[in-house]
Amino acid sequence: MAQALDDLLDSLEDADDATREEAAKALAELANPATLDALIGACGDEFWSVRTRAGWGVAKIGGPKAIEALIVLFNDPIMEVRNEAVAAVVSLGAGQLDRLLAAMKDERWRVREHAAKACGDLHDSGAVDALIFACRDRDGAVKSAAAEALGKIGDPKAIPALVKLFRDSSKIVRETAGIALVAIGQPSVDLLLETLKDKDFVVRCHAARALGGMTTDYQIGRSWVREPRVVDALIEALKDPDRAVREDATIALGMIGDPRAIDGLLEAMKDGAVKRHAIASLGMIGDPRALPAVLAALKGKGVRQDGTPTPGCIVSEDAFIKEAAATALGHFRDPRVIPDLIMLLKDGVLREKAAAALVLIGDSAIEPLISFLYDPKASEVEAEGERVLSYASVRLTAKDSLRLLVVETLEHLGWTPPDEETSVDSSQADNLRVDRPLGDIGRFGPSGDFAKGSVR
């Protein structure tokens, strides 16, 4: 055993990176106190993976020297090393809190940042005051880490400090503070409602996002809020003079999912700045009263638009509106929209959204889809667009690509094609189609030196 240990210690100083890494890994698993100094030395190895293995090794051995070595790794230039050092410190338990609180006053910002992260992962309320103080740190990464940690601990005492971060110049800090308030939950409602009336539109935006439980820029999920007063405040925010606030309030109402917001969201569909988000929110609520308006939006009809659409878009705003409508129709789960969604499968841009919506509607979509699949007239595609779609669909023609999408949608709904059905592949599309033989002109028509009319 002693000889094997000596061999590992020798390997820890080998010139080969992989050899040193394996030695550090083996020594970490042994966790022999006699190897502590060697592992602490390896925490300064030039190869990052060795430093990571060594950090876990000293953590398993424990003691004051171990925690000091890990604090040094908080300032490592490699993110993976720093994160593993945080996890290693947390594995030592709440007994290391005092040293972490001291590290939060370190002159190195990375050490302060990762000490805050470790405090959050320990979920110890004893760190709340220090973390609140860290929310005023000069470095944005430290403030963000402190806000995240306060959210994990969940102490309502942190709410005022987190709301103040809505004024920070860094968007990352502001969003992290909002996510922390979402994690704290109900106790933050009163101050967030008050903040929704702030004179700064950025602060109002983040208050709306927090009330809506928005933890990403994507309109997904559900809010933790179920209070009528929150819904009323967000409906009022739909009339805010700033378009960003109106947009976030629109999304938040969808996240909350209260049917009392239907009338306000239908009115918001007149606002070009938030129309597509209003449609998506109406779908998330799923109240049948909104179905006609959403279906009309899919067809490019209905509500007159007064405001201006999203500035700087390189894609038509109508495309975004139709995408939102196609997705929203699935959330209503109303069989009446199935024919419109099935016909939308022919649209090269919206077909994926339509297919996902049909899957959401469920079993009632199976029979119409099967009828569509086996009806040559219904599943007919435009001849001119066929070449473009066939090129963009892994060499399938537009007709075969549509058929494949319908079959995949049916499979998601639990339908299995009969045994005689075979999947369409590129060789069939290339060589077996009688309406477009390859011949001299190729599958995509005449081109190059062999084009019709060219000199040979």
Side-chain angles (χ1 to χ4, degrees), residues 360-383:
L360 278 177
I361 291 173
D363 292 348
S364 56
I366 294 177
E367 187 174 339
L369 277 168
I370 294 174
S371 299
F372 178 78
L373 179 65
Y374 291 106
D375 186 345
K377 191 70 176 177
S379 58
E380 193 174 23
V381 290
E382 295 182 10

Side-chain angles (χ1 to χ4, degrees), residues 117-164:
K117 288 184 176 182
C119 287
D121 289 342
L122 284 171
H123 298 89
D124 194 320
S125 58
V128 169
D129 290 336
L131 289 168
I132 291 174
F133 184 80
C135 287
R136 303 198 299 269
D137 196 276
R138 62 182 180 273
D139 189 272
V142 179
K143 288 185 283 189
S144 184
E148 183 179 0
L150 287 168
K152 290 180 178 179
I153 295 172
D155 194 324
K157 182 165 59 172
I159 292 172
L162 291 169
V163 169
K164 285 181 181 178

Side-chain angles (χ1 to χ4, degrees), residues 363-411:
D363 292 348
S364 56
I366 294 177
E367 187 174 339
L369 277 168
I370 294 174
S371 299
F372 178 78
L373 179 65
Y374 291 106
D375 186 345
K377 191 70 176 177
S379 58
E380 193 174 23
V381 290
E382 295 182 10
E384 188 58 33
E386 188 169 343
R387 289 187 178 183
V388 178
L389 282 175
S390 61
Y391 179 75
S393 306
V394 197
R395 297 182 61 80
L396 292 178
T397 62
K399 184 175 181 180
D400 289 333
S401 179
L402 174 60
R403 182 175 182 276
L404 182 61
L405 179 65
V406 174
V407 171
E408 289 175 348
T409 305
L410 284 165
E411 288 176 347

Side-chain angles (χ1 to χ4, degrees), residues 184-193 196 211-212 223-235 252-253 255-261:
I184 293 173
Q186 190 63 35
S188 65
V189 169
D190 289 335
L191 190 52
L192 285 172
L193 287 174
L196 199 57
L211 287 169
S223 172
W224 45 274
V225 176
R226 293 293 181 269
E227 294 191 40
R229 58 181 179 142
V230 174
V231 176
D232 293 337
L234 289 171
I235 291 174
L253 285 168
M255 302 279 283
I256 293 172
D258 193 321
R260 294 188 308 116

Side-chain angles (χ1 to χ4, degrees), residues 3 66 76 78 124-125 152 193 215 222 234 239 265 325 369 391 443:
Q3 181 61 46
D76 196 273
I78 303 297
D124 194 320
S125 58
K152 290 180 178 179
L193 287 174
T215 56
R222 285 294 182 191
L234 289 171
K239 304 172 186 175
L265 290 171
L369 277 168
Y391 179 75
R443 181 171 168 218

